[in-house]
Amino acid sequence: QITLRESGPTLVKPTQTLTLTCTFSGFSLSTSGLGVGWIRQPPGKALEWLALIYWDDDKRYSPSLRNRLTITKDTSKNQVVLTMTNMDPVDTATYHCVHRQTNNWFDPWGQGTLVTVSS
Amino acid sequence: DIQMTQSPSSVSASVGDRVTITCRASQGISSWLAWYQQKPGKAPKLLIYTASSLQSGVPSRFSGSGSGTDFTLTISSLQPEDFATYFCQQSNSFPYTFGQGTKLDIK
């Protein structure tokens, strides 16, 4: 059974850097074709894809956030870390990490962590 | 970016009804489309991938169709547990994008 769990701060101040960790089990990110991504959802709004890291360390980012995001993996710890710089109140959202299947689709998702940006 | 437009944004229906939700892409995405179900306070759950393939464990009353720019999700006979919000998502090209969601509630 594949599970993912997000961890990190629930409150950050504007201009600070957010660091979120996704800890997963049930698969290895060294397995060909797999990946882990991050998707966020502002309260009451639509989902927004942020970043994706593949088993071979290839990375993809949302162009609108590319200069603020970094995604890395630690295969030995079964973790993926997302950092987002220069946080703003509009970045307030629930952040989900997701398992990218070999067939390109996201399943399952982590429960998500609500991050509020406020001074 | 490819824009995904869902309609309707909300729909009211009764148990046993047949419901169809549509998703339109701003450009052709072949069959690179998925549908997710999200219940309040929960993570989205994959229902349909590659436009019409049913994810393992998902009831057969859910079905998807379409290709190119126009897609549909159909629930053949609504069950109480189906009242939720549904999102479409394209993975034809980066950045992956989602529809704005369709909220399905009880009439």
Side-chain angles (χ1 to χ4, degrees):
Chain A
Q1 181 190 5
I2 293 173
T3 63
L4 307 99
R5 185 183 76 252
E6 306 86 354
S7 58
T10 57
L11 178 67
V12 298
K13 297 184 187 310
T15 75
Q16 287 186 336
T17 294
L18 171 69
T19 299
L20 294 173
T21 301
C22 176
T23 303
F24 55 86
S25 62
F27 69 98
S28 171
L29 201 40
S30 61
T31 301
S32 179
L34 297 185
V36 171
W38 287 91
I39 294 167
R40 71 179 179 181
Q41 187 173 31
K45 295 187 178 181
L47 297 158
E48 180 183 16
W49 174 80
L50 301 177
L52 178 61
I53 188 165
Y54 293 93
W55 80 101
D56 59 359
D57 209 37
D58 191 16
K59 302 165 187 177
R60 294 286 187 267
Y61 295 99
S62 169
S64 64
L65 295 167
R66 174 64 182 91
N67 62 346
R68 298 174 54 204
L69 293 175
T70 303
I71 190 169
T72 60
K73 64 181 175 71
D74 186 329
T75 305
S76 65
K77 292 183 178 179
N78 281 353
Q79 290 182 332
V80 168
V81 175
L82 181 76
T83 60
M84 181 180 292
T85 61
N86 195 24
M87 293 292 285
D88 183 272
V90 300
D91 296 314
T92 293
T94 295
Y95 288 74
H96 296 275
C97 64
V98 297
H99 168 255
R100 182 228 188 234
Q101 303 177 148
T102 53
N103 64 3
N104 202 39
W105 303 105
F106 296 134
D107 187 74
W109 296 45
Q111 182 67 19
T113 185
L114 176 61
V115 178
T116 301
V117 184
S118 174
S119 54
Chain B
D1 298 4
I2 298 175
Q3 306 303 315
M4 306 300 293
T5 304
Q6 284 182 238
S7 61
S9 55
S10 65
V11 58
S12 296
S14 301
V15 172
D17 284 354
R18 179 184 182 90
V19 171
T20 297
I21 299 168
T22 66
C23 181
R24 174 165 289 177
S26 60
Q27 62 190 76
I29 59 170
S30 185
S31 295
W32 292 106
L33 185 103
W35 290 97
Y36 298 89
Q37 176 194 67
Q38 186 177 32
K39 297 182 179 179
K42 301 293 187 181
K45 171 188 171 184
L46 179 65
L47 300 176
I48 302 285
Y49 61 93
T50 323
S52 60
S53 297
L54 194 67
Q55 176 71 346
S56 176
V58 173
S60 59
R61 62 181 179 273
F62 291 92
S63 64
S65 65
S67 67
T69 60
D70 294 309
F71 302 86
T72 60
L73 171 70
T74 299
I75 310 172
S76 60
S77 178
L78 275 173
Q79 298 301 300
E81 61 269 28
D82 299 337
F83 293 96
T85 299
Y86 294 85
F87 293 93
C88 60
Q89 177 235 325
Q90 67 83 17
S91 67
N92 179 76
S93 61
F94 289 105
Y96 293 164
T97 47
F98 292 84
Q100 80 279 16
T102 295
K103 184 176 182 181
L104 173 56
D105 58 24
I106 301 174
K107 183 183 290 185

